Amino acid sequence: METFSEVRKHIMDLYDLRIDEPFIISFEYPINDGKRRQSMFLAELETSEGRRVLRVETPVAPLADLDAEKCLRINLTQRVGYLAVGDLDSIPYIKMCENLPYAFVGEQELDYVIRNVAQSADNMEQFLEPGTDLT
């Protein structure tokens, strides 16, 4: 895939979009046979050098629920994705993210990253708030 429109088409073939804007889409990723869901956001970003990258991200939990040291320790163990902070409805949230240069974005790789980012975020969410599906 070389463009965001190709990414959008692939995702639309698999999921119902909740947000569909020119350079951002959102959908619900089912986890644990659909018993849980993870809100996923895909957006096209441009680096300072002008390269386009695809960001895959999902909210994990309000920042107030975590301490910085735990987040950094979790980041060290991640094989796919990294933790970042972003606002969700004006509340600082820990987010699980991954940036993919378009040169590496194919259907299988994108599906792999979405699955792993969603599952990692949901695992963290369950650890923080057992039994609750926050996002």
Side-chain angles (χ1 to χ4, degrees):
M1 289 183 234
E2 296 179 11
T3 66
F4 194 74
S5 62
E6 290 175 295
V7 170
R8 175 185 284 107
K9 180 178 179 339
H10 174 68
I11 296 300
M12 286 176 67
D13 288 345
L14 300 172
Y15 310 101
D16 293 327
L17 297 184
R18 296 184 63 194
I19 296 173
D20 186 6
E21 296 180 7
F23 294 101
I24 185 168
I25 57 177
S26 174
F27 58 95
E28 295 291 315
Y29 185 86
I31 295 178
N32 198 13
D33 294 327
K35 294 175 186 155
R36 297 178 60 83
R37 297 188 123 2
Q38 198 65 34
S39 297
M40 302 299 298
F41 297 85
L42 278 62
E44 184 175 288
L45 306 175
E46 190 172 314
T47 68
S48 57
E49 295 84 28
R51 293 182 65 195
R52 292 176 306 116
V53 296
L54 179 67
R55 172 169 291 164
V56 176
E57 73 176 51
T58 184
V60 175
L63 179 60
D65 292 352
L66 295 169
D67 71 47
E69 182 180 350
K70 283 183 184 177
C71 290
L72 291 172
R73 289 186 186 279
I74 290 168
N75 258 352
L76 185 62
T77 66
Q78 288 299 111
R79 298 296 176 251
V80 174
Y82 60 90
L83 296 177
V85 175
D87 288 343
L88 183 64
D89 296 328
S90 301
I91 298 170
Y93 257 74
I94 295 293
K95 294 182 176 189
M96 180 73 64
C97 305
E98 181 67 270
N99 294 336
L100 300 166
Y102 274 95
F104 301 112
V105 179
E107 289 180 5
Q108 289 180 331
E109 181 65 17
L110 180 57
D111 294 344
Y112 171 82
V113 168
I114 289 170
R115 180 177 55 254
N116 282 283
V117 167
Q119 188 63 59
S120 295
D122 189 66
N123 289 343
M124 278 185 65
E125 190 178 295
Q126 288 182 65
F127 176 76
L128 295 169
E129 301 284 342
T132 304
D133 195 5
L134 297 173
T135 61

PDB file of all heavy atoms in Angstrom, residues 110-126:
ATOM      1  N   LEU A 110       0.110  -4.689   7.956  1.00  0.00           N
ATOM      2  CA  LEU A 110      -0.837  -3.805   8.623  1.00  0.00           C
ATOM      3  C   LEU A 110      -1.742  -4.595   9.562  1.00  0.00           C
ATOM      4  O   LEU A 110      -1.946  -4.200  10.706  1.00  0.00           O
ATOM      5  CB  LEU A 110      -1.663  -3.032   7.594  1.00  0.00           C
ATOM      6  CG  LEU A 110      -2.699  -2.067   8.154  1.00  0.00           C
ATOM      7  CD1 LEU A 110      -2.059  -1.043   9.088  1.00  0.00           C
ATOM      8  CD2 LEU A 110      -3.436  -1.379   7.010  1.00  0.00           C
ATOM      9  N   ASP A 111      -2.277  -5.710   9.091  1.00  0.00           N
ATOM     10  CA  ASP A 111      -3.137  -6.545   9.943  1.00  0.00           C
ATOM     11  C   ASP A 111      -2.376  -7.046  11.172  1.00  0.00           C
ATOM     12  O   ASP A 111      -2.918  -7.075  12.280  1.00  0.00           O
ATOM     13  CB  ASP A 111      -3.701  -7.726   9.151  1.00  0.00           C
ATOM     14  CG  ASP A 111      -4.660  -7.299   8.048  1.00  0.00           C
ATOM     15  OD1 ASP A 111      -5.135  -6.144   8.071  1.00  0.00           O
ATOM     16  OD2 ASP A 111      -4.922  -8.128   7.154  1.00  0.00           O
ATOM     17  N   TYR A 112      -1.110  -7.426  10.993  1.00  0.00           N
ATOM     18  CA  TYR A 112      -0.271  -7.893  12.094  1.00  0.00           C
ATOM     19  C   TYR A 112      -0.086  -6.789  13.137  1.00  0.00           C
ATOM     20  O   TYR A 112      -0.238  -7.009  14.336  1.00  0.00           O
ATOM     21  CB  TYR A 112       1.086  -8.349  11.546  1.00  0.00           C
ATOM     22  CG  TYR A 112       2.103  -8.652  12.600  1.00  0.00           C
ATOM     23  CD1 TYR A 112       2.115  -9.891  13.250  1.00  0.00           C
ATOM     24  CD2 TYR A 112       3.065  -7.716  12.968  1.00  0.00           C
ATOM     25  CE1 TYR A 112       3.055 -10.172  14.234  1.00  0.00           C
ATOM     26  CE2 TYR A 112       4.004  -7.986  13.941  1.00  0.00           C
ATOM     27  CZ  TYR A 112       3.999  -9.224  14.570  1.00  0.00           C
ATOM     28  OH  TYR A 112       4.926  -9.487  15.547  1.00  0.00           O
ATOM     29  N   VAL A 113       0.248  -5.588  12.678  1.00  0.00           N
ATOM     30  CA  VAL A 113       0.476  -4.466  13.600  1.00  0.00           C
ATOM     31  C   VAL A 113      -0.813  -4.109  14.323  1.00  0.00           C
ATOM     32  O   VAL A 113      -0.811  -3.922  15.545  1.00  0.00           O
ATOM     33  CB  VAL A 113       1.074  -3.250  12.855  1.00  0.00           C
ATOM     34  CG1 VAL A 113       1.043  -2.001  13.727  1.00  0.00           C
ATOM     35  CG2 VAL A 113       2.488  -3.560  12.400  1.00  0.00           C
ATOM     36  N   ILE A 114      -1.926  -4.023  13.614  1.00  0.00           N
ATOM     37  CA  ILE A 114      -3.203  -3.699  14.259  1.00  0.00           C
ATOM     38  C   ILE A 114      -3.524  -4.735  15.332  1.00  0.00           C
ATOM     39  O   ILE A 114      -3.863  -4.393  16.462  1.00  0.00           O
ATOM     40  CB  ILE A 114      -4.336  -3.606  13.220  1.00  0.00           C
ATOM     41  CG1 ILE A 114      -4.159  -2.346  12.366  1.00  0.00           C
ATOM     42  CG2 ILE A 114      -5.706  -3.611  13.895  1.00  0.00           C
ATOM     43  CD1 ILE A 114      -5.069  -2.284  11.157  1.00  0.00           C
ATOM     44  N   ARG A 115      -3.422  -6.013  14.981  1.00  0.00           N
ATOM     45  CA  ARG A 115      -3.724  -7.088  15.931  1.00  0.00           C
ATOM     46  C   ARG A 115      -2.835  -7.003  17.181  1.00  0.00           C
ATOM     47  O   ARG A 115      -3.313  -7.078  18.304  1.00  0.00           O
ATOM     48  CB  ARG A 115      -3.557  -8.450  15.248  1.00  0.00           C
ATOM     49  CG  ARG A 115      -3.846  -9.637  16.129  1.00  0.00           C
ATOM     50  CD  ARG A 115      -3.739 -10.982  15.397  1.00  0.00           C
ATOM     51  NE  ARG A 115      -2.442 -11.182  14.745  1.00  0.00           N
ATOM     52  CZ  ARG A 115      -2.232 -11.115  13.437  1.00  0.00           C
ATOM     53  NH1 ARG A 115      -3.228 -10.845  12.610  1.00  0.00           N
ATOM     54  NH2 ARG A 115      -1.030 -11.313  12.938  1.00  0.00           N
ATOM     55  N   ASN A 116      -1.539  -6.790  16.980  1.00  0.00           N
ATOM     56  CA  ASN A 116      -0.619  -6.759  18.116  1.00  0.00           C
ATOM     57  C   ASN A 116      -0.740  -5.503  18.956  1.00  0.00           C
ATOM     58  O   ASN A 116      -0.663  -5.566  20.184  1.00  0.00           O
ATOM     59  CB  ASN A 116       0.818  -6.966  17.637  1.00  0.00           C
ATOM     60  CG  ASN A 116       1.084  -8.416  17.347  1.00  0.00           C
ATOM     61  OD1 ASN A 116       1.273  -9.204  18.259  1.00  0.00           O
ATOM     62  ND2 ASN A 116       1.046  -8.791  16.083  1.00  0.00           N
ATOM     63  N   VAL A 117      -0.937  -4.364  18.331  1.00  0.00           N
ATOM     64  CA  VAL A 117      -1.141  -3.126  19.086  1.00  0.00           C
ATOM     65  C   VAL A 117      -2.435  -3.223  19.886  1.00  0.00           C
ATOM     66  O   VAL A 117      -2.478  -2.897  21.074  1.00  0.00           O
ATOM     67  CB  VAL A 117      -1.122  -1.895  18.151  1.00  0.00           C
ATOM     68  CG1 VAL A 117      -1.650  -0.653  18.858  1.00  0.00           C
ATOM     69  CG2 VAL A 117       0.293  -1.648  17.634  1.00  0.00           C
ATOM     70  N   ALA A 118      -3.506  -3.696  19.259  1.00  0.00           N
ATOM     71  CA  ALA A 118      -4.802  -3.824  19.945  1.00  0.00           C
ATOM     72  C   ALA A 118      -4.702  -4.800  21.113  1.00  0.00           C
ATOM     73  O   ALA A 118      -5.173  -4.513  22.216  1.00  0.00           O
ATOM     74  CB  ALA A 118      -5.876  -4.269  18.967  1.00  0.00           C
ATOM     75  N   GLN A 119      -4.092  -5.958  20.878  1.00  0.00           N
ATOM     76  CA  GLN A 119      -4.002  -6.968  21.936  1.00  0.00           C
ATOM     77  C   GLN A 119      -3.118  -6.493  23.089  1.00  0.00           C
ATOM     78  O   GLN A 119      -3.471  -6.678  24.261  1.00  0.00           O
ATOM     79  CB  GLN A 119      -3.465  -8.287  21.379  1.00  0.00           C
ATOM     80  CG  GLN A 119      -3.531  -9.422  22.369  1.00  0.00           C
ATOM     81  CD  GLN A 119      -4.950  -9.776  22.775  1.00  0.00           C
ATOM     82  OE1 GLN A 119      -5.765 -10.129  21.940  1.00  0.00           O
ATOM     83  NE2 GLN A 119      -5.254  -9.673  24.053  1.00  0.00           N
ATOM     84  N   SER A 120      -1.984  -5.876  22.789  1.00  0.00           N
ATOM     85  CA  SER A 120      -1.100  -5.354  23.844  1.00  0.00           C
ATOM     86  C   SER A 120      -1.801  -4.295  24.678  1.00  0.00           C
ATOM     87  O   SER A 120      -1.709  -4.289  25.909  1.00  0.00           O
ATOM     88  CB  SER A 120       0.173  -4.760  23.231  1.00  0.00           C
ATOM     89  OG  SER A 120       0.932  -5.748  22.593  1.00  0.00           O
ATOM     90  N   ALA A 121      -2.508  -3.392  24.009  1.00  0.00           N
ATOM     91  CA  ALA A 121      -3.235  -2.337  24.720  1.00  0.00           C
ATOM     92  C   ALA A 121      -4.332  -2.935  25.593  1.00  0.00           C
ATOM     93  O   ALA A 121      -4.522  -2.525  26.743  1.00  0.00           O
ATOM     94  CB  ALA A 121      -3.816  -1.334  23.732  1.00  0.00           C
ATOM     95  N   ASP A 122      -5.060  -3.910  25.057  1.00  0.00           N
ATOM     96  CA  ASP A 122      -6.128  -4.536  25.835  1.00  0.00           C
ATOM     97  C   ASP A 122      -5.558  -5.297  27.038  1.00  0.00           C
ATOM     98  O   ASP A 122      -6.137  -5.260  28.121  1.00  0.00           O
ATOM     99  CB  ASP A 122      -6.962  -5.464  24.962  1.00  0.00           C
ATOM    100  CG  ASP A 122      -8.203  -5.946  25.681  1.00  0.00           C
ATOM    101  OD1 ASP A 122      -9.081  -5.100  25.962  1.00  0.00           O
ATOM    102  OD2 ASP A 122      -8.290  -7.150  25.983  1.00  0.00           O
ATOM    103  N   ASN A 123      -4.429  -5.969  26.849  1.00  0.00           N
ATOM    104  CA  ASN A 123      -3.785  -6.657  27.978  1.00  0.00           C
ATOM    105  C   ASN A 123      -3.413  -5.674  29.086  1.00  0.00           C
ATOM    106  O   ASN A 123      -3.635  -5.940  30.269  1.00  0.00           O
ATOM    107  CB  ASN A 123      -2.546  -7.417  27.521  1.00  0.00           C
ATOM    108  CG  ASN A 123      -2.874  -8.629  26.689  1.00  0.00           C
ATOM    109  OD1 ASN A 123      -4.006  -9.113  26.680  1.00  0.00           O
ATOM    110  ND2 ASN A 123      -1.889  -9.114  25.955  1.00  0.00           N
ATOM    111  N   MET A 124      -2.853  -4.526  28.703  1.00  0.00           N
ATOM    112  CA  MET A 124      -2.516  -3.494  29.698  1.00  0.00           C
ATOM    113  C   MET A 124      -3.772  -2.991  30.389  1.00  0.00           C
ATOM    114  O   MET A 124      -3.795  -2.802  31.599  1.00  0.00           O
ATOM    115  CB  MET A 124      -1.807  -2.311  29.034  1.00  0.00           C
ATOM    116  CG  MET A 124      -0.343  -2.508  28.821  1.00  0.00           C
ATOM    117  SD  MET A 124       0.412  -0.998  28.178  1.00  0.00           S
ATOM    118  CE  MET A 124       0.177   0.100  29.566  1.00  0.00           C
ATOM    119  N   GLU A 125      -4.802  -2.757  29.607  1.00  0.00           N
ATOM    120  CA  GLU A 125      -6.072  -2.266  30.142  1.00  0.00           C
ATOM    121  C   GLU A 125      -6.645  -3.247  31.167  1.00  0.00           C
ATOM    122  O   GLU A 125      -7.087  -2.846  32.247  1.00  0.00           O
ATOM    123  CB  GLU A 125      -7.034  -2.096  28.972  1.00  0.00           C
ATOM    124  CG  GLU A 125      -8.307  -1.374  29.272  1.00  0.00           C
ATOM    125  CD  GLU A 125      -9.140  -1.241  28.017  1.00  0.00           C
ATOM    126  OE1 GLU A 125      -8.705  -0.555  27.070  1.00  0.00           O
ATOM    127  OE2 GLU A 125     -10.228  -1.832  27.982  1.00  0.00           O
ATOM    128  N   GLN A 126      -6.609  -4.539  30.851  1.00  0.00           N
ATOM    129  CA  GLN A 126      -7.127  -5.550  31.770  1.00  0.00           C
ATOM    130  C   GLN A 126      -6.283  -5.636  33.048  1.00  0.00           C
ATOM    131  O   GLN A 126      -6.807  -5.882  34.128  1.00  0.00           O
ATOM    132  CB  GLN A 126      -7.177  -6.918  31.086  1.00  0.00           C
ATOM    133  CG  GLN A 126      -8.266  -7.006  30.054  1.00  0.00           C
ATOM    134  CD  GLN A 126      -8.321  -8.381  29.444  1.00  0.00           C
ATOM    135  OE1 GLN A 126      -8.631  -9.342  30.139  1.00  0.00           O
ATOM    136  NE2 GLN A 126      -8.016  -8.476  28.154  1.00  0.00           N
TER     137      GLN A 126
END
